[in-house]
């Protein structure tokens, strides 16, 4: 069940190596809302998502309300040499709820099938993940994130490179998660995705900020 009420960032600074990409960020990501991070390339949208997911260290500032269970849907995944099917990939999302070596439960299988249907990839369940088109792959990746049933759902560019029908499916699923009490945050350039969000947080270039000196 969703447990996070809000993630509050106060005067946050983030680096990629020695390069400061976010400085002086104040933002609140609330349960029940879809928040879109916008800004030019290099403004730190993906870096903020990475930090919330625990992949990048917070360089400075204060972070409050961050839960342990965070699902992260990246913009892309590298090809795999493994014969991974779409159902296999979505089932891996359940590893957040149980150790991977334990057999899947009836609930695990139910959640997987529900998300396959929700993102309209059930008919692709036996297809190799690497064979999917851009829109199909994005829908499958979102299904993986949803299968985790986390308190926080992060999605990097949810509608990048997808057709209009896939964009509607993805954005509808994100809105439904928010209504269920999940903190939903995505980075977006797409005006349609931004317009569909409840809250927009605009990031700018931090290079001139004293916090980056």
């Amino acid at each position: 069940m969703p447990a996070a009420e809000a993630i509050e960032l106060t005067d946050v600074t983030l680096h990629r190596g020695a390069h400061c990409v976010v400085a002086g960020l104040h933002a609140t990501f609330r349960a029940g809302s879809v928040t879109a991070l916008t800004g030019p390339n290099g403004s730190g949208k993906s870096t903020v998502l990475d930090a919330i997911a625990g992949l990048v260290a917070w360089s400075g500032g204060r972070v409050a309300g961050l839960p342990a269970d965070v699902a992260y849907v990246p913009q892309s995944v590298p090809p795999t040499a493994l014969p991974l099917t779409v159902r296999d990939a979505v089932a891996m999302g359940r590893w957040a709820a149980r150790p991977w070596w334990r057999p899947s439960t009836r609930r695990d299988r139910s959640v997987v099938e529900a998300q396959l249907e929700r993102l309209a990839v059930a008919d692709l369940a036996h297809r190799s993940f690497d064979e999917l088109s851009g829109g199909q792959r994005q829908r499958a990746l979102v299904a993986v994130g949803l299968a985790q049933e986390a308190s926080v759902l992060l999605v990097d560019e949810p509608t990048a490179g997808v057709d209009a029908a896939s964009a509607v499916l993805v954005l509808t699923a994100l809105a439904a998660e928010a209504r269920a009490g999940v903190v939903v945050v995505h980075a977006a350039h797409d005006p349609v995705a931004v317009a569909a969000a409840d809250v927009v947080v605009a990031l700018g270039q931090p290079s001139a900020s004293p916090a980056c000196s």
Side-chain angles (χ1 to χ4, degrees), residues 128-144:
S128 169
F129 196 80
D130 290 340
E131 295 175 357
L132 302 182
S133 69
Q136 292 169 340
R137 176 175 289 222
Q138 185 67 359
R139 284 185 275 131
L141 286 172
V142 172
V144 175

Side-chain angles (χ1 to χ4, degrees), residues 73-76 119 121 124 129 132-143 155-172 174 186-194:
V73 180
Q75 185 175 351
S76 61
L119 275 301
V121 289
L124 305 172
F129 196 80
L132 302 182
S133 69
Q136 292 169 340
R137 176 175 289 222
Q138 185 67 359
R139 284 185 275 131
L141 286 172
V142 172
V155 187
D156 198 355
E157 299 287 354
T159 59
V162 307
D163 56 38
S166 293
V168 169
L169 281 169
V170 169
L171 294 176
T172 299
L174 298 187
H186 66 73
H189 282 105
D190 177 17
V192 173
V194 175

